[in-house]
Amino acid sequence: MSQDAVTVRLTQVQDYQFDVDFGAGIPALRCDEPPPLGQNQGPSPMHLLAAAVANCLSDSLLFALRKFKQQPEPLHTEVSADVGRNAEGRLRVLGMRATLTLGVPAAALEHLDRVLASFEQYCTVTQSVAQGFPVEIQVLDATGVRLK
């Protein structure tokens, strides 16, 4: 395992509910499956995967813009996972769609074309999951204009 390994520990609470321990200083998270398996008492693994993609893309876009001393806040990101059955009839994530919305109009930001051309390449999570299924990414400005 690499020196940069990330480790989480799960402890079963009951049925399909697990407390996720992320390590020292990070609050634990209760996860659960939706009915009929679970009781919907926390995010499911699908929710966590979508959240990881959304968070990583948001971080990458924010970091890229801040390198140019730009202030795009507040960012809003929505990720939808398409779930369906594979050839063996098992449920799988077949693809994701991400929409990142800047908190300001595009005209208020400099170097936006450069940022939009490269920011997603720095998103570790999205680039990793995109090896298994397509991830469509669009960026809108605060007025709703599609920039990417």
Side-chain angles (χ1 to χ4, degrees):
M1 190 151 306
S2 75
Q3 66 185 21
D4 296 328
V6 173
T7 302
V8 298
R9 291 180 176 80
L10 277 69
T11 302
Q12 185 181 24
V13 177
Q14 67 178 25
D15 295 326
Y16 293 90
Q17 292 178 20
F18 289 85
D19 282 343
V20 182
D21 177 356
F22 295 97
I26 302 173
L29 176 65
R30 171 80 39 94
C31 295
D32 195 7
E33 290 285 343
L37 291 178
Q39 299 175 1
N40 229 16
Q41 295 299 302
S44 71
M46 295 279 196
H47 289 117
L48 294 173
L49 182 61
V53 168
N55 197 173
C56 194
L57 283 170
S58 299
D59 289 348
S60 293
L61 181 57
L62 183 61
F63 181 82
L65 284 163
R66 284 187 173 173
K67 274 180 48 176
F68 292 107
K69 301 189 181 351
Q70 301 303 295
Q71 297 178 319
E73 293 92 343
L75 294 179
H76 298 278
T77 303
E78 180 177 298
V79 170
S80 297
D82 295 322
V83 180
R85 300 216 178 257
N86 67 7
E88 292 81 34
R90 294 187 175 88
L91 284 178
R92 295 291 185 260
V93 176
L94 303 176
M96 287 187 168
R97 284 180 316 282
T99 301
L100 293 88
T101 305
L102 301 170
V104 297
L109 300 170
E110 297 175 7
H111 308 286
L112 193 53
D113 289 344
R114 261 178 88 182
V115 167
L116 293 175
S118 66
F119 82 93
E120 63 192 82
Q121 299 306 312
Y122 296 97
C123 179
T124 304
V125 173
T126 304
Q127 292 301 306
S128 297
V129 300
Q131 293 177 24
F133 54 78
V135 179
E136 177 187 317
I137 300 166
Q138 69 175 349
V139 179
L140 309 176
D141 77 355
T143 66
V145 172
R146 185 175 179 164
L147 308 172
K148 176 178 174 52

